[in-house]
């Protein structure tokens, strides 16, 4: 599991930072890629990476501001040209369905793969045997959401020495023992899986927020996330500006990370008013509150480790 930032600027693209998009790569976990927001130019950014649009399985849109969605029709359309055949589901606030359908229809775009659009509200968004995704409501002057992706706990590894001690020689039977709670051997003995596997592997929790004013009450849903991606549009001294424009400062984001006891904080959606040394200052400012902070830049990659 890895985060790949494609656009880390705010509002309009600059030479240094494109508008919002990031990817959660889960090639090992499920062979697919999830995209979060799709600002204009996202597909061009992807061209500079080894991300394959064919692998995109889900796209989560935090809110309908242009810097988060103007790249969506283009990406969906190109994916079709590039041989994408597997279904894609796009999640996002009310209005997203109209936006996508009208854009594709008016431009005469026909996709060669099934496209589903699900308009979300606060709460549960998606679940399968591996992951749960929930949406939390943010404060941004229009519907804006954060997505909390929680990986489910995985079974521990089979312990061959324990099986050998029970007199079960290696073979296809091992796979069967791992797949069910109990297995009857040919000699009639019952092997209970719980006796022969190691401790379960804890799932990871990643929270990716859209644009928002500082919301200390997010402490609870974000609690102990391994990684929090939070906007840091403004420096700490510009709290008033941030409030007026429905955005956050890097210090507000760091305080929330601290309160929620997350593992790591990654700041994105950085205003173009901060360049060069000023970016370093933003990072230092946030680190003085929450040391494990990184200010993301375009093409920044970040592996999400399993906490012990
Ligand atoms: Zn934005
Ligand atoms: Zn916005």
């Amino acid at each position: 599991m890895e985060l790949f930032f494609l656009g880390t600027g705010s509002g309009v693209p600059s030479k240094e930072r494109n508008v919002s998009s990031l990817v959660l790569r889960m090639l090992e976990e499920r062979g697919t890629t999830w995209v979060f927001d799709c600002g204009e130019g996202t597909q061009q950014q992807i061209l500079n990476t080894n991300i394959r649009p064919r692998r995109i399985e889900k796209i989560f849109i935090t809110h309908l501001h242009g810097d988060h969605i103007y790249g969506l029709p283009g990406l969906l359309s190109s994916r079709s040209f590039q041989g994408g055949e597997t279904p894609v589901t796009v999640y996002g606030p009310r209005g997203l369905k109209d936006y996508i359908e009208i854009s594709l229809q008016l431009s005469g775009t026909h996709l060669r793969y099934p496209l589903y659009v699900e308009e979300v509200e606060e709460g549960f968004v998606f679940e399968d045997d591996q992951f749960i995704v929930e949406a939390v409501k943010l404060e941004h002057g229009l519907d804006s959401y954060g997505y909390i992706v929680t990986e489910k706990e995985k079974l521990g590894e089979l312990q061959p020495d324990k099986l050998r001690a029970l007199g079960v020689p290696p073979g296809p039977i091992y796979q069967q023992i791992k797949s069910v709670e109990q297995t009857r051997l040919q000699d009639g003995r019952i092997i209970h899986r719980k006796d022969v596997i190691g401790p379960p592997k804890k799932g990871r929790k990643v929270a990716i927020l859209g644009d928002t004013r500082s919301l200390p009450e997010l402490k609870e849903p974000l609690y102990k996330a391994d990684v929090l991606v939070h906007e840091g549009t403004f420096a700490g001294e510009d709290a008033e500006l941030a409030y007026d424009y429905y955005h956050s400062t890097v210090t507000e984001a760091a305080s929330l990370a601290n309160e929620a006891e997350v593992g790591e904080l990654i700041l994105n959606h950085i205003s173009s008013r901060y360049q060069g040394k000023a970016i370093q200052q933003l990072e230092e400012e946030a680190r003085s509150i929450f040391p494990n902070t990184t200010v993301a830049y375009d093409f920044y990659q970040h592996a999400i480790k399993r906490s012990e």
Side-chain angles (χ1 to χ4, degrees), residues 31-206:
T32 66
T33 288
W34 292 1
V35 177
F36 291 79
D37 285 335
C38 194
E40 187 181 352
T42 295
Q43 57 170 324
Q44 284 90 336
Q45 296 291 85
I46 287 178
L47 290 177
N48 296 314
T49 71
N50 54 4
I51 294 165
R52 297 280 161 264
R54 268 184 290 120
R55 297 239 190 220
I56 296 171
E57 178 200 8
K58 295 181 182 297
I59 302 175
F60 296 87
I61 299 296
T62 61
H63 65 297
L64 300 186
H65 277 157
D67 58 322
H68 298 253
I69 63 165
Y70 284 168
L72 189 53
L75 179 66
L76 293 174
S77 160
S78 299
R79 184 181 186 270
S80 197
F81 281 112
Q82 291 155 354
E85 287 173 350
T86 51
V88 171
T89 308
V90 190
Y91 304 85
R94 193 147 34 97
L96 180 66
K97 211 176 170 122
D98 279 352
Y99 171 65
I100 293 175
E101 277 175 5
I102 293 168
S103 307
L104 296 182
Q105 198 194 334
L106 292 180
S107 58
T109 305
H110 298 284
L111 303 180
R112 278 175 245 169
Y113 57 87
L115 177 72
Y116 306 102
V117 182
E118 291 190 21
E119 294 184 343
V120 303
E121 282 176 7
E122 182 154 54
F124 168 87
V125 171
F126 164 79
E127 176 170 15
D128 67 5
D129 56 352
Q130 277 185 306
F131 288 94
I132 299 180
V133 182
E134 289 160 279
V136 288
K137 209 165 183 144
L138 307 175
E139 198 176 304
H140 190 50
L142 82 176
D143 280 358
S144 183
Y145 293 98
Y147 294 101
I148 302 175
V149 179
T150 308
E151 184 186 29
K152 293 183 178 175
E153 193 174 86
K154 267 176 42 182
L155 268 187
E157 298 291 341
L158 209 58
Q159 311 281 294
D161 43 330
K162 285 192 178 158
L163 282 159
R164 273 194 293 267
L166 291 168
V168 186
I173 187 81
Y174 276 27
Q175 207 41 50
Q176 195 195 326
I177 289 171
K178 193 174 176 185
S179 65
V180 288
E181 269 173 48
Q182 39 178 272
T183 303
R184 181 185 290 274
L185 301 178
Q186 270 180 340
D187 61 14
R189 284 187 297 150
I190 305 263
I191 302 287
H192 294 273
R193 180 172 63 191
K194 65 176 170 45
D195 299 335
V196 293
I197 59 168
K201 286 188 205 155
K202 207 171 154 277
R204 287 160 285 188
K205 177 172 171 179
V206 186

Side-chain angles (χ1 to χ4, degrees), residues 1-5 22-25 36 206 208 227 229 266 300-304:
M1 240 173 146
E2 176 196 36
L3 287 168
F4 201 138
F5 290 81
L22 69 92
V23 153
L24 179 61
R25 288 218 278 194
F36 291 79
V206 186
I208 298 166
V227 177
V229 179
I266 304 178
Y300 171 61
Q301 295 180 60
H302 186 94
I304 301 165

Side-chain angles (χ1 to χ4, degrees), residues 11 20 63 67-68 211 247 269:
S20 291
H63 65 297
D67 58 322
H68 298 253
D211 295 1
H247 283 295
H269 206 270

